[in-house]
Amino acid sequence: MTTVEPTATAVADLVRNTLSTHKSLFLATSGSDGSWVGGVYFAESDPFTLNLVLERRGRTLAAIQENPVVSLVVSTGSPMQPFLQAQALAEIVAGEQDTRVREQLVAKVPEAAPFLDAPVAAVRLSVRGWRATDIANGWLPGRDLPAPRVAN
């Protein structure tokens, strides 16, 4: 079987499509209480910036406060469906940024609105780069899509 190497555009398209068609992701953290994985709703500002809210007194937020480097998976749960993996830097945001995160989240995931009435913190994830896997199309191992470099 011959496999055609996907273009950077094809990988970027798969990342954008996967993010737009999923409302939730699995977020892995690590802190003094150990490693932890939880499912959360999210909304993307762009393919490398994801927004979510976390319970203020929860284990996930406590771990992020200790260690802001997180890992995530965007997937249906089936390895035969395209899925994304990444590491990201988590930042707890406040003020206008908090408001914007909440607005974006509810715009994409209306059923997340009740969570905003609970004691939650807005969090922004800056994704370092994506690993996109699409086994049905021969992308095993997955293909990488690095985040664009930001000029200083």
Side-chain angles (χ1 to χ4, degrees), residues 93-104 122:
V93 298
E96 266 185 48
Q97 291 182 49
D98 175 287
T99 301
R100 184 72 182 130
V101 163
R102 291 165 185 260
E103 288 170 352
Q104 287 180 329

Side-chain angles (χ1 to χ4, degrees), residues 68-152:
V69 177
V70 300
S71 295
L72 55 117
V73 175
V74 180
S75 171
T76 64
S78 168
M80 293 310 291
Q81 296 293 317
F83 62 92
L84 307 176
Q85 297 167 282
Q87 274 196 335
L89 187 62
E91 176 188 8
I92 301 163
V93 298
E96 266 185 48
Q97 291 182 49
D98 175 287
T99 301
R100 184 72 182 130
V101 163
R102 291 165 185 260
E103 288 170 352
Q104 287 180 329
L105 186 60
V106 172
K108 180 177 180 177
V109 189
E111 59 269 34
F115 290 104
L116 303 183
D117 293 333
V120 293
V123 176
R124 180 163 292 134
L125 303 180
S126 298
V127 174
R128 296 175 172 177
W130 289 105
R131 167 62 66 120
T133 303
D134 187 350
I135 295 171
N137 285 311
W139 296 15
L140 185 65
R143 303 308 192 264
D144 292 325
L145 181 66
R149 291 194 144 174
V150 178
N152 290 335

Side-chain angles (χ1 to χ4, degrees), residues 2-130:
T2 304
T3 302
V4 176
E5 192 63 29
T7 64
T9 301
V11 177
D13 288 347
L14 181 71
V15 167
R16 276 192 296 279
N17 183 55
T18 302
L19 291 173
S20 70
T21 59
H22 286 75
K23 295 179 177 185
S24 63
L25 58 82
F26 297 101
L27 182 66
T29 58
S30 182
S32 59
D33 281 343
S35 300
W36 191 252
V37 177
V40 297
Y41 288 126
F42 78 94
E44 65 278 9
S45 297
D46 60 61
F48 298 95
T49 308
L50 307 181
N51 304 289
L52 50 100
V53 296
L54 295 171
E55 183 183 354
R56 284 203 177 273
R57 293 185 304 252
R59 186 173 182 170
T60 304
L61 190 65
I64 286 171
Q65 290 170 324
E66 290 180 35
N67 177 11
V69 177
V70 300
S71 295
L72 55 117
V73 175
V74 180
S75 171
T76 64
S78 168
M80 293 310 291
Q81 296 293 317
F83 62 92
L84 307 176
Q85 297 167 282
Q87 274 196 335
L89 187 62
E91 176 188 8
I92 301 163
V93 298
E96 266 185 48
Q97 291 182 49
D98 175 287
T99 301
R100 184 72 182 130
V101 163
R102 291 165 185 260
E103 288 170 352
Q104 287 180 329
L105 186 60
V106 172
K108 180 177 180 177
V109 189
E111 59 269 34
F115 290 104
L116 303 183
D117 293 333
V120 293
V123 176
R124 180 163 292 134
L125 303 180
S126 298
V127 174
R128 296 175 172 177
W130 289 105

